[in-house]
Amino acid sequence: MLKTRLIKFFIIIFLSINFTTLKADIKKNIIENINASETIKFKFIQISNNKDENGVCFMKRPHFLKCEYNDKNQKELFVNNKRLAIYHKRYNKIYNYPLSKSYFSEILSKKKFGEMISKGSLIKSDDVFIVNCFIKEKGEIVFYFNINSFELIGWDLIDLNNSKITLKIIKSVKNLNIEKSFFKIPKNN
């Protein structure tokens, strides 16, 4: 009787250690995939305030992002070093926002992104790996990764005001040659 309990105990310990090791390996593969790309171009669908938007984003690590939306205002989102701006080309209007309150500085930095993934809780779903992260000053962000390639395929963001933004990455291409000048924020006339 004692021998059977002891065997069950060791099997449970062995399986839990194996599962913990497996999670660490998955996170390591995700981080290695992230670190393998200097630039990424991706098509996206963004859902916020019950509104669907789509477009294309260009990212150059560690400081640059430009997203072009397919909408009537010809909206563009820019991250250029420490600045976050939304430009409505149709009206030639620029709206500036503090980058420190967004997750873009963490997503653009390989080191910060890797730290978030390492510290986040990992869940395996049927067809994706889900990594849930929380930063006290910013809110909760949940990343989704392809189960086979470890590619980032989207995220859900819940900010401190409890607003939810979902971004789904449709198709991505890595390591394109993108000049820094491409990310220059336009000026108001």
Side-chain angles (χ1 to χ4, degrees), residues 111-142:
K111 181 179 179 186
K112 290 179 183 179
F113 198 47
E115 288 172 359
M116 280 192 349
I117 299 305
S118 291
K119 293 177 184 175
S121 62
L122 176 73
I123 301 167
K124 182 181 180 273
S125 179
D126 291 338
D127 57 349
V128 295
F129 292 121
I130 302 167
V131 180
N132 191 319
C133 306
F134 182 81
I135 295 180
K136 185 178 175 183
E137 305 82 29
K138 297 182 183 188
E140 179 183 12
I141 189 164
V142 179

Side-chain angles (χ1 to χ4, degrees), residues 169-181:
I169 296 174
I170 307 302
K171 181 181 178 185
S172 64
V173 180
K174 292 182 176 183
N175 297 322
L176 300 170
N177 186 18
I178 307 172
E179 297 296 323
K180 287 182 184 178
S181 60

Side-chain angles (χ1 to χ4, degrees), residues 33-50:
N33 189 301
I34 291 164
N35 289 338
S37 58
E38 293 300 319
T39 62
I40 303 171
K41 173 186 174 185
F42 60 89
K43 292 182 181 181
F44 70 90
I45 296 173
Q46 177 180 304
I47 304 162
S48 57
N49 299 322
N50 295 320

Side-chain angles (χ1 to χ4, degrees), residues 47-63:
I47 304 162
S48 57
N49 299 322
N50 295 320
K51 181 180 175 186
D52 287 14
E53 298 177 285
N54 64 69
V56 63
C57 286
F58 303 85
M59 187 169 81
K60 184 176 181 93
R61 291 200 160 110
H63 303 293

Side-chain angles (χ1 to χ4, degrees), residues 7-164:
I7 290 172
K8 285 181 182 179
F9 175 76
F10 283 117
I11 289 173
I12 290 170
I13 295 295
F14 177 75
L15 290 176
S16 67
I17 290 171
N18 257 356
F19 186 65
T20 303
T21 303
L22 179 62
K23 280 186 171 184
D25 288 346
I26 292 168
K27 287 181 178 182
K28 180 182 172 206
N29 288 334
I30 289 170
I31 293 167
E32 285 175 358
N33 189 301
I34 291 164
N35 289 338
S37 58
E38 293 300 319
T39 62
I40 303 171
K41 173 186 174 185
F42 60 89
K43 292 182 181 181
F44 70 90
I45 296 173
Q46 177 180 304
I47 304 162
S48 57
N49 299 322
N50 295 320
K51 181 180 175 186
D52 287 14
E53 298 177 285
N54 64 69
V56 63
C57 286
F58 303 85
M59 187 169 81
K60 184 176 181 93
R61 291 200 160 110
H63 303 293
F64 302 100
L65 177 71
K66 179 179 179 181
C67 296
E68 300 169 341
Y69 288 77
N70 297 325
D71 66 356
K72 66 180 181 180
N73 296 329
Q74 299 171 311
K75 179 169 70 173
E76 295 179 335
L77 180 141
F78 289 89
V79 174
N80 189 326
N81 287 319
K82 305 244 185 256
R83 189 170 168 205
L84 169 61
I86 295 179
Y87 175 56
H88 290 249
K89 194 184 285 187
R90 180 176 178 188
Y91 303 109
N92 195 29
K93 295 270 187 191
I94 297 175
Y95 303 94
N96 292 296
Y97 299 93
L99 183 61
S100 62
K101 298 210 187 262
S102 80
Y103 270 103
F104 288 123
S105 58
E106 281 81 11
I107 291 170
L108 290 171
S109 167
K110 290 180 184 181
K111 181 179 179 186
K112 290 179 183 179
F113 198 47
E115 288 172 359
M116 280 192 349
I117 299 305
S118 291
K119 293 177 184 175
S121 62
L122 176 73
I123 301 167
K124 182 181 180 273
S125 179
D126 291 338
D127 57 349
V128 295
F129 292 121
I130 302 167
V131 180
N132 191 319
C133 306
F134 182 81
I135 295 180
K136 185 178 175 183
E137 305 82 29
K138 297 182 183 188
E140 179 183 12
I141 189 164
V142 179
F143 294 104
Y144 300 92
F145 296 92
N146 180 290
I147 204 161
N148 298 314
S149 67
F150 304 102
E151 297 279 331
L152 178 65
I153 56 174
W155 60 77
D156 289 328
L157 170 71
I158 302 168
D159 67 17
L160 295 174
N161 297 322
N162 232 10
S163 298
K164 182 177 180 181

